Amino acid sequence: MFEKLDKDYILHSYARNYVNFKYGINATLYDDKEKDYIDFSSGIGVVSVGHANKEFNQAIKKQIDQIIHISNLYMIEPQVKLAKELVTKSGFDMRCFFANSGAEANEAAIKIARKYGEVQGKIKRYKIITLKHSFHGRSISTLKATAQESMHNYFGPFPDGFVYAKDIDQIKELCDDHTIGVMLELIQGEGGVEPQDKKKIQELEQFLKQKDILLMIDEVQTGIYRTGELLACHLYEISPQIITLAKGIANGVPIGVVMSSLKDIFSPGDHGSTFGGNYLSTRAALKVLEILDRYKNSGEFDENMIYFEDRLKNFAKKYPNIILKEVGFGFMRGLRIKSSDMLAKIIDESFKSGVLLLKAGRDTLRFLPPLTISKMEIDEGFKRLDMVFSKTV
Ligand SMILES: *Cc1c(COP(=O)(O)O)cnc(C)c1O
């Protein structure tokens, strides 16, 4: 019934699965027929503390009963607290701007870089270098920043000034007098769970520092403990000038954040957002940080993360005919599958068998479970996957 309504009334921009989820508990979802699914996708890396997390829900319910929204014309207490938490926990001397999505956070990052390129130096520097297979969002400029030409069909003309590097090494060659920034994901998410080489990133950081070119790290997917650390920047031991966050920070309440060490870059009027950083989304994010911080300090987070990693590695070894290799960090993992046809079939069959998984790039089976997934849920997920894979061989 709803399938027809969906097709009749929603623009067809998604290749949707027709399932009607009714409720969830942590990493398990239930549909309208009470069939259960192990959620290895967490709404594309969003539901960090799990579905229907009681402590989280209580916090946002309480906030809803007080104030949801006021606008950024007034100070917003949970926004201030969240900014302080993010800055303090990250260890970076930065300030924050709040938006509503990853694309918007990256838009703000691009504006920060462009303004910096305008106000310092003799000539306007405006070029931003991004990497092949990157993903930075769906707005017109973040789409242009996304170096996947196939996604640019139909939507031009685009804003100028984005330059694509085929890999980290080529970035140095592409830097010229007009380059103001390099924007990249430390582990490419949509592009195929592709971690960059740590040493190369650190060398790039030094190179860019000497040239006063901004290092802009898109942590929309990797941020907020996804890789096991608060930020992937910590894993790579770098200090960029701009960091963007979104997906996993507020458990599904829309939010985007840009953090920058260019603390005085914006003056009133330079940038803004009606909804960005309102009481609801920042209260939600504060609670997510509190829950994850406690979970991490208890040791249970790392224990379960390692448990998941072991299960995944053993699983990869069991099916060498299907799985080429296992990639990623923490709870951001991928299995490279022999062919894209096989991958499509696996995702489809897993869904039917009650496991939600994601595709990334051409041939990667992507795992982004809630960070609070239990050992039992991990076991159940792999048990179901085992059945799917043993039928696929
Ligand atoms: C998902 C994603 C975005 C876009 O985020 P939206 O909230 O969909 O706008 C940007 N960058 C990266 C790395 C992402 O994974």
Side-chain angles (χ1 to χ4, degrees):
M1 171 199 173
F2 289 110
E3 178 170 346
K4 183 171 183 322
L5 288 181
D6 182 278
K7 284 175 177 157
D8 283 349
Y9 292 103
I10 308 282
L11 284 169
H12 296 185
S13 63
Y14 303 101
R16 276 189 165 154
N17 286 302
Y18 284 96
V19 58
N20 190 356
F21 292 119
K22 287 296 195 182
Y23 63 97
I25 304 169
N26 200 26
T28 310
L29 282 160
Y30 298 84
D31 70 11
D32 54 357
K33 297 174 191 80
E34 284 293 321
K35 178 180 166 182
D36 61 278
Y37 299 78
I38 299 298
D39 186 3
F40 278 165
S41 69
S42 68
I44 322 187
V46 168
V47 185
S48 302
V49 298
H51 298 285
N53 183 302
K54 283 208 175 69
E55 185 185 346
F56 173 79
N57 286 359
Q58 258 165 22
I60 60 173
K61 279 178 199 165
K62 190 169 163 220
Q63 185 60 59
I64 286 168
D65 284 337
Q66 293 168 346
I67 304 173
I68 291 177
H69 179 89
I70 280 296
S71 92
N72 282 296
L73 298 176
Y74 307 95
M75 187 195 76
I76 298 165
E77 185 183 307
Q79 184 185 108
V80 177
K81 285 183 173 162
L82 176 60
K84 178 171 180 276
E85 279 296 295
L86 285 170
V87 167
T88 313
K89 285 204 168 76
S90 72
F92 298 130
D93 186 18
M94 290 180 165
R95 284 186 182 146
C96 302
F97 176 89
F98 291 95
N100 310 287
S101 66
E104 268 186 64
N106 286 334
E107 287 277 351
I110 293 164
K111 282 180 76 173
I112 289 173
R114 289 272 171 88
K115 182 165 182 194
Y116 184 64
E118 174 92 28
V119 297
Q120 62 76 53
K122 288 191 191 66
I123 56 164
K124 164 101 189 183
R125 293 194 286 149
Y126 63 93
K127 286 186 190 168
I128 292 170
I129 300 174
T130 63
L131 278 179
K132 222 179 141 193
H133 307 302
S134 56
F135 184 78
H136 298 297
R138 302 282 191 166
S139 67
I140 290 284
S141 34
T142 58
L143 194 56
K144 186 62 178 171
T146 295
Q148 300 188 45
E149 305 276 5
S150 66
M151 287 173 66
H152 300 165
N153 294 335
Y154 317 121
F155 303 119
F158 289 101
D160 288 337
F162 294 99
V163 178
Y164 308 141
K166 71 175 198 298
D167 53 29
I168 298 289
D169 295 325
Q170 210 200 4
I171 291 175
K172 293 181 197 169
E173 296 162 31
L174 291 174
C175 286
D176 65 21
D177 291 346
H178 295 285
T179 308
I180 191 59
V182 171
M183 179 155 81
L184 53 87
E185 303 152 85
L186 293 171
I187 304 157
Q188 288 186 334
E190 305 305 311
V193 192
E194 192 66 62
Q196 299 298 343
D197 181 75
K198 183 170 172 177
K199 210 161 147 264
K200 282 190 182 173
I201 291 288
Q202 291 180 340
E203 281 166 12
L204 177 69
E205 181 190 24
Q206 291 314 312
F207 174 85
L208 296 178
K209 239 176 215 149
Q210 280 158 21
K211 296 207 170 292
D212 189 29
I213 294 173
L214 305 174
L215 180 57
M216 311 158 70
I217 303 295
D218 180 345
E219 292 234 32
V220 167
Q221 193 159 147
T222 54
I224 314 301
Y225 298 103
R226 181 50 61 185
T227 66
E229 299 298 325
L230 175 67
L231 299 173
C233 286
H234 297 143
L235 204 62
Y236 279 73
E237 298 175 278
I238 55 165
S239 308
Q241 287 75 45
I242 302 176
I243 297 169
T244 54
L245 299 166
K247 287 192 166 84
I249 182 168
N251 216 42
V253 181
I255 189 169
V257 191
V258 56
M259 303 174 64
S260 180
S261 59
L262 303 170
K263 290 165 74 173
D264 295 310
I265 192 71
F266 282 151
S267 307
D270 280 341
H271 196 44
S273 165
T274 299
F275 297 119
N278 74 15
Y279 281 79
L280 178 61
S281 64
T282 51
R283 176 64 66 202
L286 267 174
K287 202 57 183 181
V288 166
L289 282 180
E290 187 193 321
I291 293 170
L292 290 178
D293 195 41
R294 193 188 333 125
Y295 190 46
K296 177 90 182 161
N297 287 334
S298 75
E300 208 185 331
F301 179 102
D302 286 336
E303 192 186 306
N304 285 359
M305 190 174 77
I306 291 162
Y307 188 80
F308 183 79
E309 179 180 343
D310 286 346
R311 294 301 309 257
L312 191 69
K313 287 196 161 141
N314 287 333
F315 191 79
K317 271 189 223 137
K318 195 170 166 190
Y319 296 102
N321 294 333
I322 307 173
I323 301 165
L324 297 176
K325 67 170 173 173
E326 177 271 329
V327 286
F329 292 103
F331 282 120
M332 183 171 180
R333 297 271 172 182
L335 296 175
R336 295 259 196 278
I337 304 297
K338 261 199 179 143
S339 76
S340 52
D341 289 346
M342 227 183 228
L343 174 61
K345 199 173 153 223
I346 288 167
I347 292 175
D348 195 44
E349 288 299 321
S350 300
F351 173 69
K352 286 179 193 153
S353 306
V355 186
L356 304 184
L357 282 160
L358 298 159
K359 177 182 191 252
R362 241 188 36 250
D363 55 4
T364 303
L365 184 65
R366 181 169 43 153
F367 295 73
L368 296 172
L371 305 178
T372 53
I373 191 168
S374 68
K375 290 195 183 78
M376 252 168 66
E377 287 168 323
I378 294 170
D379 284 344
E380 184 59 29
F382 280 106
K383 195 174 112 197
R384 293 177 189 187
L385 279 187
D386 225 359
M387 286 183 325
V388 171
F389 274 67
S390 53
K391 270 191 291 180
T392 308
V393 192

